[in-house]
């Protein structure tokens, strides 16, 4: 099987944790435009994010994400709280978490890395610039980086 065929058949499961419908749509459009091969799952708050990750309630059949894109400013439970809980959970901590937020505050950056974020990306509001960020995300996280193996492998 060629590497290209393997990439096409091994879709990456991405969990987007974002409460702003405009940002959700922008992210979805950017991934489609960039032709990123993935399955993008979305939840709108921190409590839902942890339920999805832990496969609880209505997320009992949810796939385990290969990567989490996490906004910091979330209702119910902040992105920083989600990140902290995720990285303290032995079953979830190996999942790479990319903080994807509008915050450029140095304090948020430091707190995110202190909580073991794998990367911190500030979201551009301009679609073309955001598309460029998604392409770089794809180039690095989906082409260069070796992600942890899926469960059972």
């Amino acid at each position: 099987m060629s590497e290209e065929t393997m990439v096409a058949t091994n879709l990456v499961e991405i969990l987007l944790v974002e409460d702003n419908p405009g940002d959700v749509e922008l992210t979805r459009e950017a991934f489609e435009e960039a032709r990123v091969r993935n399955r993008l799952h979305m939840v709108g708050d921190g409590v839902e994010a942890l339920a999805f990750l832990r496969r609880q309630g209505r997320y009992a059949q949810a796939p385990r994400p290969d990567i989490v894109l996490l906004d910091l400013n979330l209702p119910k439970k902040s992105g920083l709280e989600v990140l902290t809980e995720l990285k303290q959970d032995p079953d979830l901590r190996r999942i790479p978490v990319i903080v994807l937020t509008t915050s450029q505050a140095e304090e948020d950056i430091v707190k995110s890395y202190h909580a073991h974020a794998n990367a911190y990306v500030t979201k551009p509001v301009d679609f073309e610039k955001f598309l460029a960020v998604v392409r770089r995300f794809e180039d690095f996280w989906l082409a260069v980086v070796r992600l942890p193996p899926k469960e059972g492998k």
Side-chain angles (χ1 to χ4, degrees):
M1 182 183 309
S2 74
E3 187 174 334
E4 191 172 298
T5 304
M6 284 177 56
V7 170
T9 58
N10 293 324
L11 293 177
V12 175
E13 303 286 349
I14 300 172
L15 175 61
L16 173 63
V17 186
E18 174 61 66
D19 67 316
N20 181 319
D23 286 349
V24 168
E25 192 54 35
L26 182 67
T27 304
R28 184 191 323 264
E29 287 177 20
F31 272 76
E32 286 174 8
E33 180 79 19
R35 292 178 174 77
V36 175
R37 293 181 201 102
N38 68 79
R39 276 185 266 225
L40 189 61
H41 308 275
M42 287 151 281
V43 295
D45 65 55
V47 171
E48 275 190 84
L50 289 169
F52 188 102
L53 288 160
R54 293 178 176 144
R55 299 177 177 153
Q56 297 170 334
R58 67 183 178 142
Y59 300 109
Q61 301 302 313
R64 177 63 49 94
D66 297 300
I67 298 175
V68 175
L69 300 177
L70 179 67
D71 187 23
L72 290 182
N73 303 309
L74 297 169
K76 298 184 183 176
K77 194 171 280 231
S78 76
L80 196 55
E81 290 172 303
V82 171
L83 176 61
T84 300
E85 283 190 45
L86 187 154
K87 292 300 183 177
Q88 289 176 349
D89 186 321
D91 293 330
L92 302 174
R93 75 175 101 205
R94 72 180 184 157
I95 300 171
V97 177
I98 294 99
V99 173
L100 183 62
T101 186
T102 55
S103 174
Q104 296 182 33
E106 193 171 306
E107 180 181 5
D108 287 339
I109 296 167
V110 169
K111 284 181 177 179
S112 295
Y113 281 116
H114 182 73
H116 304 287
N118 297 87
Y120 190 101
V121 178
T122 303
K123 283 187 265 194
V125 286
D126 174 81
F127 181 75
E128 290 304 316
K129 289 179 183 172
F130 190 74
L131 183 57
V133 167
V134 169
R135 285 188 174 126
R136 287 186 190 121
F137 166 84
E138 178 188 28
D139 289 345
F140 183 72
W141 286 99
L142 305 181
V144 174
V145 170
R146 298 252 346 236
L147 295 170
K150 294 190 185 285
E151 290 176 37
K153 291 188 179 178

